[in-house]
Amino acid sequence: MVPRISLKNVSIEFPIYDVGARSLRHTFFINRIKAVKQVFSEGQLGGLIGKNNQGLTIIRALSNIGLELQGGDRVGLVGHNGSGKTTLLRVLSGIYEPTDGTISIHGTVMPLFNITDGMDPDATGMELIRVRGYLLGLTSGEIADITDDVIQFCELGKFMDLPIRTYSAGMFVRLAFAITTAVTSNILLMDEVIGTGDAAFIERIEMRLRSFIDRAGILVVASHSPEIIRKWCNKALLLEHGRIVMLGNVESVLNRYQSLQQREGE
Amino acid sequence: MGVQVLVMSVLLGVLFNHKISRFLPFVCISMVTWSLITGCIQEGAHTFISNASMINQVRRPLTSYVMRTIARNVIVFAHSVVIFLIVAIFFGIYPTPTSLWSLLGLFLVLINLVWMSLCSAIVSTRYRDMPMIIQNVFSVLLWLTPVMYYPSQLTGHPAVAIIVQFNPFSFFLDVVRDPILNELPKFDSIAVVAACALTGWLATMALFARTRSRIVYWL
């Protein structure tokens, strides 16, 4: 099956509840919210900040994103901090359901975000394979099938039986990458993860990604490193304040990003 | 927990002039069931908040996190039930066919606990003072539920008896406790617990349908 991603007019708005609005007592007995007109303003960084019609502060992390990706597309997401790269990846992985607009995704999605989050530091590497496997929706049989492959690929050897709190950041990345890519998927989403691997591992990552590319999967990588984007992507997407500034070939988007940064620097 | 039950039931038994051979098993199974109930609901309040980092990484049904909380509390329950078994054998209470009704009771209670846990998780994620409120409510409910006294002791105190009677958790305890102490369960209790499950699930499904896609934004 050829994977396909289609986003139409997608917006993501986060309600920012202050202490009062997060309190049941305040909301029902103390606060009385006044109606305010909806306005958005943009700061130097981040999404648009505004108020909704209930006077609640909201951040519009993505505004009216339209995006069509097909098998074989390898997209690098660039943009300054808070421009919406991570939010977009989370939309693509189905974690955030759009506040506005529609999204349709055909294919099996494997997200590879911040793997250390939410992991019991006392779990061993072997246990981590199981926990991640279940989280990614595998059955215990499928987990058993990928286990050998993961152990071989990440080269952690005896460390697999030690608690993960003894691992270095690079070792984590090795294991996480090994687990995520051992599962056959055709949409791979990565958020700044490859950066911490050493040179030898980066080579192995490239081998894996090449076979992924041969299967005509969709790859979306958010990265601040132009080298990674140049190496792995055939398209790039520049985001600013949650809007798409430019989508096109890697060099022209990177140039545009650079000139944007210079203009901001002046 | 074993020590707590022992000290409490001996002390209360002496204060109330109860026969210890009947009172100790009663308090023991009541406490064990009560901790299952409070555990599922109070821990349920933190389900989404404490799993936030996982929820933000992988798309998984939110209910799977609720079931994790339930599973953990059932496992804890299975361990503390052993205390009751020891007490029961010591005082010569042996299982009879009647005891099997307890399993049905426990099953009905668990069905209720799942919606209560889910509900508590949803509301607590949006309103962060909810876990504290729930905790306080349950420390009051402990006294308004016949955990450490016989329901029959309330006869002659109609005002209190009414409050206890309108507390659904009294019936939750009844359906598990009565059969395991070899009394046939009261039909009323089973009916109340079943009705509670039905209405609770309907309400919770309506709430979950409305909030499901928003929960991740509240984390």
Side-chain angles (χ1 to χ4, degrees):
Chain A
M1 193 184 72
V2 183
R4 200 162 50 78
I5 293 176
S6 157
L7 270 65
K8 287 197 183 76
N9 240 344
V10 167
S11 295
I12 296 284
E13 285 174 2
F14 286 92
I16 303 304
Y17 299 116
D18 56 13
V19 180
R22 267 191 161 186
S23 152
L24 188 75
R25 227 162 39 85
H26 274 260
T27 311
F28 288 103
F29 300 111
I30 300 169
N31 270 2
R32 282 286 166 265
I33 298 163
K34 290 182 227 89
V36 178
K37 226 178 89 196
Q38 196 162 352
V39 223
F40 283 100
S41 59
E42 61 185 52
Q44 275 213 297
L45 287 179
L48 305 175
I49 299 169
K51 300 226 176 226
N52 72 357
N53 42 23
Q54 286 162 350
L56 194 70
T57 304
I58 48 178
I59 293 179
R60 189 171 248 219
L62 292 177
S63 312
N64 306 321
I65 299 284
L67 187 63
E68 300 282 336
L69 300 178
Q70 306 168 2
D73 281 345
R74 305 192 301 280
V75 186
L77 299 181
V78 290
H80 55 61
N81 299 126
S83 59
K85 302 187 294 292
T86 302
T87 308
L88 181 56
L89 284 174
R90 286 189 180 157
V91 170
L92 295 178
S93 64
I95 294 165
Y96 292 145
E97 290 181 28
T99 328
D100 260 321
T102 55
I103 172 169
S104 81
I105 293 173
H106 297 271
T108 40
V109 183
M110 281 295 144
L112 184 52
F113 303 153
N114 190 3
I115 159 136
T116 50
D117 275 356
M119 288 295 144
D120 179 0
D122 284 323
T124 65
M126 295 300 283
E127 285 167 341
L128 191 75
I129 297 182
R130 276 187 30 225
V131 173
R132 293 295 296 181
Y134 285 129
L135 268 179
L136 295 172
L138 303 185
T139 64
S140 45
E142 287 170 318
I143 293 173
D145 289 342
I146 65 165
T147 302
D148 283 339
D149 178 62
V150 170
I151 296 172
Q152 211 188 359
F153 185 80
C154 68
E155 299 179 304
L156 286 183
K158 290 211 170 81
F159 271 94
M160 290 304 293
D161 295 317
L162 290 181
I164 55 177
R165 65 186 141 79
T166 61
Y167 289 16
S168 73
M171 288 162 83
F172 254 128
V173 171
R174 280 175 173 245
L175 186 55
F177 187 86
I179 297 172
T180 309
T181 56
V183 185
T184 319
S185 67
N186 43 22
I187 300 174
L188 194 56
L189 309 171
M190 288 196 272
D191 194 3
E192 290 286 359
V193 270
I194 326 177
T196 24
D198 56 25
F201 191 64
I202 293 211
E203 246 169 61
R204 295 175 75 85
I205 290 180
E206 290 180 3
M207 263 162 45
R208 267 279 163 98
L209 285 182
R210 195 145 292 150
S211 80
F212 177 81
I213 291 163
D214 291 340
R215 288 203 308 269
I218 297 178
L219 175 70
V220 184
V221 192
S223 181
H224 285 290
S225 144
E227 290 84 57
I228 285 179
I229 305 259
R230 280 201 187 94
K231 202 172 218 166
W232 288 113
C233 302
N234 54 10
K235 276 183 181 176
L237 177 70
L238 174 58
L239 284 169
E240 202 185 37
H241 303 302
R243 293 195 196 97
I244 294 183
V245 177
M246 190 180 176
L247 169 68
N249 78 50
V250 173
E251 281 313 315
S252 56
V253 171
L254 285 177
N255 284 339
R256 176 77 179 273
Y257 181 41
Q258 224 166 18
S259 66
L260 262 178
Q261 279 177 316
Q262 274 163 3
R263 205 169 349 128
E264 269 162 23
E266 275 160 18
Chain B
M1 182 154 185
V3 179
Q4 196 194 353
V5 169
L6 197 73
V7 172
M8 235 170 51
S9 44
V10 170
L11 183 74
L12 287 169
V14 170
L15 285 178
F16 288 152
N17 276 329
H18 287 318
K19 229 172 84 198
I20 209 77
S21 62
R22 189 170 157 241
F23 191 62
L24 191 80
F26 172 89
V27 173
C28 190
I29 190 66
S30 303
M31 283 292 292
V32 169
T33 314
W34 182 254
S35 344
L36 174 70
I37 295 172
T38 51
C40 284
I41 299 171
Q42 288 180 2
E43 273 180 48
H46 296 281
T47 299
F48 297 146
I49 302 170
S50 59
N51 282 312
S53 54
M54 274 200 216
I55 294 173
N56 270 323
Q57 278 191 72
V58 187
R59 183 185 171 87
R60 289 257 78 201
L62 287 170
T63 44
S64 63
Y65 300 101
V66 176
M67 293 315 287
R68 244 173 73 142
T69 304
I70 300 284
R72 187 174 46 243
N73 278 286
V74 169
I75 293 169
V76 171
F77 174 77
H79 283 80
S80 20
V81 138
V82 175
I83 303 172
F84 169 75
L85 294 179
I86 295 171
V87 168
I89 291 169
F90 184 79
F91 287 106
I93 300 172
Y94 296 108
T96 59
T98 315
S99 323
L100 290 175
W101 284 95
S102 273
L103 293 177
L104 174 78
L106 187 63
F107 179 70
L108 284 176
V109 167
L110 281 175
I111 290 180
N112 273 294
L113 288 180
V114 177
W115 75 255
M116 289 178 170
S117 192
L118 174 59
C119 209
S120 149
I122 296 172
V123 181
S124 302
T125 310
R126 174 64 184 80
Y127 297 109
R128 298 299 169 99
D129 52 350
M130 206 57 199
M132 270 81 82
I133 295 175
I134 290 175
Q135 208 180 337
N136 286 326
V137 166
F138 272 97
S139 56
V140 174
L141 275 179
L142 173 65
W143 301 103
L144 293 178
T145 314
V147 178
M148 292 177 288
Y149 51 86
Y150 294 131
S152 58
Q153 281 177 276
L154 292 171
T155 41
H157 306 278
V160 187
I162 282 177
I163 301 177
V164 173
Q165 253 166 26
F166 276 96
N167 171 5
F169 294 107
S170 311
F171 300 99
F172 283 34
L173 288 186
D174 273 357
V175 295
V176 178
R177 182 177 56 202
D178 290 354
I180 214 166
L181 297 175
N182 289 330
E183 280 170 48
L184 265 175
K186 295 185 243 351
F187 174 76
D188 293 4
S189 307
I190 294 184
V192 169
V193 177
C196 190
L198 193 69
T199 47
W201 265 112
L202 287 176
T204 305
M205 280 199 291
L207 174 71
F208 192 47
R210 271 187 56 194
T211 52
R212 187 191 49 82
S213 59
R214 305 297 305 156
I215 288 169
V216 65
Y217 291 95
W218 295 338
L219 288 170

